[in-house]
Amino acid sequence: AQSVSQHNHHVILSEAASLELGCNYSYGGTVNLFWYVQYPGQHLQLLLKYFSGDPLVKGIKGFEAEFIKSKFSFNLRKPSVQWSDTAEYFCAVNGNFGNEKLTFGTGTRLTIIP
Amino acid sequence: DAGITQSPRHKVTETGTPVTLRCHQTENHRYMYWYRQDPGHGLRLIHYSYGVKDTDKGEVSDGYSVSRSKTEDFLLTLESATSSQTSVYFCAIRGGVGETQYFGPGTRLLVL
């Protein structure tokens, strides 16, 4: 069965600091990878996704993620965070052979201090 | 935002009461999903549907049933609500490039 691990449960940073959130997955085949963001009191919104091609994926709001197949990782990065990035971030994976089920990590809560 | 609405948005009910949550989409997508979100667990799949009258179980389906009589509506029913079903419930649809899932606004359910 596929699984996703997000080892950082709560990250606290100051504004302008650089961000990297870890995501590792377990799956025996070719995968699609996603990062979602959930701002306080809101629903999940797609930040970025990887299906194939360039392993460095750029998303909205200055976020990017790099797929490293050999490490089964899809870490999320942002060079300079803002207070408005305070949110919960979820990594998710599904197999790309028409697999209907998306498996989520437990999430990382990011708090940005002004 | 994807055309997904959920109703009700908030509900308080008592243990043993039946509860039905509705998810409505305007995108005509084939796949629809119900998740629950709980602290420390992320999102967990309850049930999903791959077409009208076609549904399957997710990882936490016990105590829940679903129905899909029209493409646009996917109903989640708690036959007899328990306190352990207090949660935030999200509906999602799948479609577009790369089969991305898009989420509705959520329903916050409190079972007393």
Side-chain angles (χ1 to χ4, degrees):
Chain A
Q2 60 202 39
S3 65
V4 178
S5 296
Q6 292 182 246
H7 302 295
N8 310 108
H9 298 295
H10 189 193
V11 173
I12 303 173
L13 294 172
S14 298
E15 272 192 320
S18 63
L19 169 71
E20 181 160 3
L21 301 183
C23 173
N24 288 92
Y25 68 92
S26 171
Y27 186 74
T30 307
V31 295
N32 301 319
L33 295 154
F34 306 82
W35 276 98
Y36 286 87
V37 61
Q38 186 177 32
Y39 298 103
Q42 296 191 24
H43 63 285
L44 273 76
Q45 302 173 41
L46 182 69
L47 261 184
L48 48 79
K49 58 191 177 187
Y50 171 81
F51 297 115
S52 63
D54 189 343
L56 184 61
V57 179
K58 295 192 182 299
I60 61 172
K61 304 186 181 187
F63 286 90
E64 65 180 30
E66 185 175 13
F67 171 49
I68 303 179
K69 188 175 181 180
S70 61
K71 295 185 178 180
F72 298 90
S73 70
F74 190 56
N75 292 354
L76 181 71
R77 302 194 294 246
K78 185 171 184 178
S80 177
V81 294
Q82 301 171 310
W83 177 79
S84 59
D85 293 325
T86 294
E88 191 150 17
Y89 293 80
F90 293 93
C91 182
V93 63
N94 71 357
N96 71 356
F97 294 114
N99 188 322
E100 305 84 358
K101 300 179 186 178
L102 194 59
T103 299
F104 284 86
T106 53
T108 296
R109 185 154 64 99
L110 176 65
T111 300
I112 305 300
I113 301 170
Chain B
D1 285 343
I4 313 170
T5 57
Q6 293 184 231
S7 59
R9 295 292 313 281
H10 302 272
K11 185 166 183 71
V12 180
T13 191
E14 294 184 346
T15 298
T17 304
V19 176
T20 295
L21 309 182
R22 178 180 182 241
C23 177
H24 178 80
Q25 61 149 329
T26 59
E27 307 296 318
N28 202 36
H29 286 321
R30 180 179 169 200
Y31 284 89
M32 297 183 76
Y33 304 80
W34 276 108
Y35 292 89
R36 59 178 290 173
Q37 183 180 28
D38 305 287
H41 291 278
L43 274 82
R44 294 179 291 175
L45 182 64
I46 304 171
H47 281 280
Y48 68 99
S49 170
Y50 47 96
V52 173
K53 295 194 166 100
D54 293 322
T55 65
D56 203 353
K57 296 179 180 180
E59 63 178 300
V60 291
S61 59
D62 287 348
Y64 301 94
S65 63
V66 291
S67 64
R68 190 156 176 214
S69 58
K70 298 185 289 185
T71 299
E72 57 266 35
D73 290 324
F74 191 33
L75 305 181
L76 176 71
T77 297
L78 291 65
E79 300 290 348
S80 177
T82 67
S83 58
S84 64
Q85 293 175 311
T86 291
S87 187
V88 182
Y89 291 85
F90 287 99
C91 174
I93 62 175
R94 180 165 75 112
V97 174
E99 304 292 335
T100 301
Q101 288 191 25
Y102 296 94
F103 287 81
T107 294
R108 192 172 294 271
L109 176 67
L110 174 61
V111 183
L112 299 175

